[in-house]
Amino acid sequence: MKYTVLLFLFLSQTAFSQQYKSRPITGLLGAFGAEVELVKQTLKNPKTVVVDGVTFTTGRLGKQKVVVAETGIGKVNAAMTTALLLDHFRPERVLFTGIAGGTNPELQPGDIVIAGRTAHHDYGSITDKNTPTRQTRNVITKQFNPVYFPADTSLMRLAEKVVKDIPLEGIPLASGGVSDRPVKVVTGTVVTGDVFVASPIKVSSLRADFGADATEMEGAAIAQVCYQINVPHLIIRSLSDRADAEAHIAFDKFYPTAARNSAKLVIAIVQAL
Ligand code: ADE
C-alpha cells in the first residue's frame, strides 16, 4: 500500500514536470476554419482541448509547441478567445493568421500585410464635427492605450525575413489558371472594426485617417488583449478583396488562396523561432 502511494506520488510529479517542461507554447489564432486549416493540417501530434466551449488544438510545428484556435468573427469573439488562450495556456507569444480587405491601392488579393501596428477603426465618440477620440483605456492600468498597438518587433522582423523564402500562391484567374504576378508583401497598418467594408468611400477614410493598408475584424482586439497582458503578438493578413464595391465577389473567389498565403507565412515564422 505504502509503495503504491509512493509510486502514485512519483508518477504524478513526473507528469507535472513533463507538463511544466513542455512549455513554452505559441498561440496561433485565425477567425474561421479556412484561416487555420493549413496550420492544423501541418500540426504533428494534434490533440484537442475544450476550454469554456472553445476548442483549442495543441501540437507541434517543427520543434515548437503550438496551440491553435478559431476565434470566431468580430472583435468580441476575438477578445474572448484570446483571453481564454492566454489564461489557460500562458503562451509566450500570439500570432494571428487570416484574410483582410486591402485599402492600399498598390495591393491586390493574395498580397500580404505584416501588421507592424493595428488600430480599432470603429472606436471613439461620434460628433457632428467628426472629431475622433480613438484611444481605448487599459482595463488593468486605467491608462489610455495607444491608438496603434505595435507588433512585437522581433516577430515582425522574423516575418519579413522568412517571407522571402516561402512559395506564395498567385490568385486564380478567370481563364482557369493562376496569376504569375509575384505576391507583394508589405509591413504596414491593419485596422479593425466590427464591419465588413465594401465601400470605396470608407476605404479612402481608413487610408486618410489611419494610413491603413488593410481592414479586418479581429486584429486590434487581439493586439489590445495581448498589449494589456504583456504578451508579444503579430498579426498577419493576406488580402481576399479590396474592400470596394466588388468586395463580396472578390472575397468568395480569393479567400482560400489568401488564407493559405497567410497561413504559410505564420507556419514559416513559427518554424524559424
Ligand atoms: N476580411 C476580408 N475582407 C474584409 C473586408 N472587406 N472588410 C472587413 N473584413 C474583411
Side-chain angles (χ1 to χ4, degrees):
M1 177 64 186
K2 200 164 105 194
Y3 290 114
T4 317
V5 172
L6 281 175
L7 182 65
F8 173 77
L9 282 174
F10 172 75
L11 288 176
S12 52
Q13 268 301 106
T14 313
F16 175 77
S17 56
Q18 282 301 332
Q19 195 188 15
Y20 188 74
K21 257 193 238 149
S22 65
R23 285 178 180 159
I25 193 165
T26 296
L28 302 179
L29 299 173
F32 69 109
E35 291 180 327
V36 291
E37 192 180 320
L38 190 60
V39 178
K40 283 195 183 167
Q41 282 168 359
T42 316
L43 282 187
K44 296 270 169 348
N45 200 18
K47 291 200 170 62
T48 60
V49 185
V50 178
V51 180
D52 287 344
V54 178
T55 303
F56 291 87
T57 309
T58 61
R60 277 181 188 281
L61 283 180
K63 280 185 262 139
Q64 296 295 327
K65 186 153 194 218
V66 298
V67 51
V68 187
E70 277 173 45
T71 62
I73 309 265
K75 301 207 293 185
V76 175
N77 281 335
M80 171 174 151
T81 309
T82 307
L84 289 175
L85 168 76
L86 298 189
D87 190 45
H88 194 83
F89 295 93
R90 307 268 155 190
E92 262 200 322
R93 59 188 77 79
V94 173
L95 287 107
F96 183 94
T97 177
I99 61 173
T103 52
N104 176 339
E106 310 278 300
L107 300 179
Q108 291 190 12
D111 290 348
I112 288 190
V113 181
I114 299 167
R117 57 183 195 169
T118 49
H120 298 284
H121 72 71
D122 58 354
Y123 186 89
S125 60
I126 294 176
T127 69
D128 288 340
K129 294 193 199 98
N130 198 18
T131 44
T133 316
R134 299 209 161 102
Q135 282 169 281
T136 51
R137 256 187 210 274
N138 186 323
V139 66
I140 300 161
T141 64
K142 316 289 184 225
Q143 303 300 306
F144 277 117
N145 284 325
V147 172
Y148 296 97
F149 297 101
D152 178 71
T153 311
S154 355
L155 287 174
M156 191 175 79
R157 297 284 169 248
L158 188 58
E160 289 166 342
K161 181 166 169 255
V162 299
V163 77
K164 298 187 179 118
D165 299 325
I166 52 172
L168 296 165
E169 286 176 51
I171 48 167
L173 298 171
S175 60
V178 167
S179 167
D180 58 6
R181 170 187 170 275
V183 172
K184 269 196 193 169
V185 181
V186 299
T187 298
T189 302
V190 169
V191 293
T192 306
D194 273 323
V195 282
F196 184 90
V197 179
S199 150
I201 295 172
K202 188 67 185 173
V203 168
S204 304
S205 74
L206 294 177
R207 197 102 187 110
D209 297 345
F210 294 91
D213 293 296
T215 184
E216 37 82 308
M217 302 176 69
E218 296 82 23
I222 292 159
Q224 184 177 342
V225 174
C226 289
Y227 180 88
Q228 292 179 175
I229 302 192
N230 224 350
V231 176
H233 82 278
L234 180 67
I235 310 288
I236 301 291
R237 293 281 183 175
S238 175
L239 307 184
S240 54
D241 61 274
R242 302 183 69 180
D244 55 10
E246 285 81 49
H248 290 97
I249 300 161
F251 180 98
D252 285 345
K253 265 200 241 163
F254 302 132
Y255 84 83
T257 308
R260 282 194 297 273
N261 277 350
S262 176
K264 280 180 190 170
L265 175 52
V266 164
I267 292 166
I269 296 168
V270 174
Q271 287 174 337
L273 281 169

